[in-house]
Structure formats: C-alpha cells, structure tokens
Amino acid sequence: PDLLPQKKKKDRTMSFAKIAKSFARNYIKPLRSKLFQTRTVAQKPKMVHNDLATGVVATVTSLAAVAGGMYYFTQPNYSAIRAEIEELLDDLDYDDGSYGPVFVRLAWHNAGTYNMFDKTGGSEGAGMRFATEAKDPANAGLDIARARLEPIKQKYPEISYSDLWSLAGTVAIESLGGPKMKWVGGRKDNVSEELGPPAGRLPDAARGADHLRAVFYRMGFSDQEIVALSGAHVLGRCHTDRSGFKGPWVFSPTTFSNEYYRELFENRWKPKKWNGPHQFEDKSGKLMMLPTDMAIIEDPIFKPYAEMYYKDEELFFNDFAKVWYKLQHVGFTL
C-alpha cells in the first residue's frame, strides 16, 4: 500500500490574514453596527473577550489592521469640530453679532441639571433632545443654539450631542477672549427621555442667595465657585421672549472679561419700573442685573469673592477655567 499513489491532503490551516478577516467579519463588524444603532460612542470601547477566539482577541488590533483597516469605533476629530464651531460664532444678523453667548448658555444649562446625591443629570445625556428638558422655561431660546450646531452633528455623526454642546460653550468662551480651558470628550447621549433628570433643576434668576446655594450645592459647588461661574454673565443678554428679562449686563456682551464684577460694584442699580419681571437697571437704563446677580454683592459670603474678581481679572480667569471644567464634567465618568 505504501507504494500506491497517495491523495494529497488539503492544507486546512488558516493564514494569519484569513483569521483576521474572519474575526472582523463575524465579531467586530456586527458588534460595531449594533452599538451604533443605540448610542453614539465617543471613546474607544474596551474589546470584549470571546472564549471561542482564544489567542485571537489578545491581538485584535493587529488582526483588524491586517484585515484591511482599524476596527476601533470612530473617534471624533475634536480639532476639526472646534474649527467648525469657531466658524459658526460670528453672525452680524444675530443678537450682538455672535452666537457665542447662547452656546455658553446651552453648555451651562445642559450640565446644570446635575444632582450629586443621586448621580442624575449633568453634562452627559443631552436631555434637551427630548420634550421634558427642551420645554423647561429655563431653556427657552436654546433651540436656536441647538439648530445652529446641528450641521456640525450631521457632518460629524460620531460626536455625541452632549460633547458637541459642551465643546461649543467652551470654544465660545475661549474665542471671545476668555481663558484657555481643559476639555475632555467622551460623553454619551441618553437613548430615551426617561433617562433624563426632571425639569426644574436650573436656577431661578428672580430669587436670591439661598436659592443659588440650594441649586449649586446640589451639584457640589462652593460659594466661591458660585461667584466665579456667575462671571459668565459678562456674555450675552436677556430676552423678553425667552427668560422674560431684558437687556445685557455689560456694554461689551461678546467679550469675556471681569467687567461683570466691575459693573456690579461701580455702577448704581435700582429696580426697573416696567411690566416685566423684577430686575435692576443702571442710570442709563441700558444695562441690567438680575436678583441673583445682586445677591452676589449683597450676600456677606459671596461679596468678598466678587471683590477679588473685580480687582484681579487674572485671578478670575484662572478660577473660572477651573470651575467651568468642573461644571462641564459633572455627571460624566472619564
């Protein structure tokens, strides 16, 4: 029998490239498709170990590369998105010529729902995509900011709305002359309205110091941080068709500075006589302050911090950068 012609056995071993292609086709691509159907993932997820692929999963990166490309889920190009946001800021036909202030308000209100006690709300979730937060009276007018940013989301679908709104506010502050600030991406959007926080967690500008503390203490902020964040009122203005209040805080509402504190201390403020909500105005009638703003210089604990920022803009910039970072990362696990 040994002398008889033998049939050549087929080589059933798989090449390294074939293994890679098979793994990518059967495991990576289906998993990638399934995740993108439910939520936007902005960071590289950890690869899931599969007992049937012992020895292969451990080298999944090189396998995927051999198979014709890296199969990490697409990570946003934050540098490109920053540039796109900057291009959207200026518009002479809108308000004071810039969308920057309303981007800041969007980022602040998106994060300002955080509750450190039950770990709900915060900068993740993008709850204003749903009716409960979108129709909260405190968020009136923010549909303008969301609509302005929507083309960027369409161009870069890999970025979550949560990241886009947070980054837009941060870029706006920097572009309008504010401090350069650290920012980290990776926020995820809620897939349903039920996952979001209840309405009514944002500050009521018609109230005073005790109310400010109740809101900000709930988020884990100190008295000094409350005063530092209030300095963002140097940007933008109030609108009667949104908050009900009317007017800017300063004469240069598209420039980030410590002018908000200067106006609080150097100007004279009196209750405005009109058919709107209670607010204050200066002698010219062109500038206004809200009851929560006046609390900053009337409260004996808040006032010394406000005086510090009035006298030292560099100190204000440094402290603001820290507290803005904190605000934009509450409720967000890195």
Side-chain angles (χ1 to χ4, degrees):
D2 293 338
L3 298 177
L4 295 176
Q6 300 294 315
K7 292 183 178 180
K8 186 176 182 180
K9 294 182 180 180
K10 293 182 178 180
D11 184 0
R12 297 183 182 277
T13 60
M14 294 180 67
S15 68
F16 191 73
K18 287 182 179 179
I19 295 174
K21 290 181 180 179
S22 175
F23 184 81
R25 180 176 63 253
N26 295 317
Y27 296 98
I28 301 298
K29 286 185 178 180
L31 178 61
R32 182 175 187 267
S33 299
K34 184 176 181 180
L35 284 177
F36 269 101
Q37 290 174 359
T38 58
R39 69 183 185 184
T40 300
V41 179
Q43 289 182 313
K44 296 177 183 178
K46 294 179 180 179
M47 291 297 182
V48 179
H49 286 279
N50 188 320
D51 291 337
L52 298 177
T54 304
V56 176
V57 175
T59 56
V60 65
T61 301
S62 54
L63 284 174
V66 175
M70 299 301 292
Y71 281 90
Y72 284 129
F73 303 111
T74 305
Q75 187 169 7
N77 184 341
Y78 292 118
S79 295
I81 295 170
R82 272 180 173 270
E84 297 271 358
I85 293 170
E86 290 172 353
E87 288 296 316
L88 290 180
L89 291 176
D90 294 341
D91 188 335
L92 295 178
D93 295 326
Y94 177 74
D95 238 10
D96 296 295
S98 173
Y99 278 89
V102 76
F103 286 175
V104 174
R105 181 169 170 247
L106 174 64
W108 148 227
H109 282 218
N110 181 56
T113 59
Y114 184 60
N115 185 330
M116 71 176 190
F117 301 106
D118 62 11
K119 309 301 181 185
T120 59
S123 64
E124 270 197 324
M128 271 183 269
R129 291 152 48 240
F130 304 107
T132 299
E133 280 194 58
K135 293 182 179 180
D136 187 329
N139 290 327
L142 290 180
D143 55 312
I144 296 171
R146 298 195 299 272
R148 181 74 170 175
L149 293 168
E150 185 60 28
I152 297 180
K153 172 63 176 174
Q154 297 304 313
K155 184 174 181 179
Y156 300 92
E158 62 272 18
I159 190 173
S160 66
Y161 280 103
S162 304
D163 265 359
L164 178 58
W165 298 348
S166 176
L167 183 58
T170 303
V171 170
I173 292 169
E174 294 179 349
S175 298
L176 296 175
K180 298 299 180 183
M181 297 179 288
K182 180 182 177 182
W183 184 87
V184 178
R187 296 163 188 77
K188 295 178 284 294
D189 296 332
N190 290 339
V191 296
S192 67
E193 185 168 17
E194 291 70 25
L195 296 174
R201 287 187 173 181
L202 294 168
D204 180 351
R207 300 176 69 179
D210 288 345
H211 172 69
L212 281 177
R213 288 192 172 93
V215 171
F216 283 92
Y217 284 7
R218 186 203 68 218
M219 292 190 285
F221 290 93
S222 67
D223 289 323
Q224 181 172 0
E225 289 172 326
I226 294 172
V227 177
L229 271 179
S230 296
H233 278 174
V234 73
L235 298 177
R237 63 174 58 235
C238 290
H239 305 75
T240 55
D241 61 342
R242 302 179 196 178
S243 64
F245 300 100
K246 181 181 180 180
W249 290 267
V250 301
F251 285 112
S252 53
T254 59
T255 300
F256 196 90
S257 69
N258 69 338
E259 188 179 355
Y260 166 76
Y261 304 104
R262 184 180 65 77
E263 291 293 353
L264 274 173
F265 283 103
E266 294 185 5
N267 218 329
R268 292 183 177 273
W269 302 97
K270 62 181 181 179
K272 181 180 178 66
K273 296 180 180 180
W274 70 318
N275 293 324
H278 178 52
Q279 67 178 72
F280 297 82
E281 66 179 358
D282 71 342
K283 186 178 180 179
S284 72
K286 295 180 180 179
L287 299 182
M288 68 94 209
M289 288 288 170
L290 304 169
T292 48
D293 297 314
M294 298 307 294
I296 297 298
I297 59 172
E298 292 172 350
D299 183 86
I301 299 176
F302 287 156
K303 186 176 179 179
Y305 297 123
E307 287 180 320
M308 288 166 47
Y309 298 142
Y310 160 52
K311 297 175 180 178
D312 191 337
E313 184 176 71
E314 184 178 356
L315 175 65
F316 167 55
F317 274 36
N318 289 337
D319 286 354
F320 183 87
K322 295 173 185 176
V323 73
W324 179 261
Y325 176 85
K326 180 176 177 178
L327 175 67
Q328 292 308 309
H329 295 80
V330 292
F332 167 40
T333 303
L334 298 177

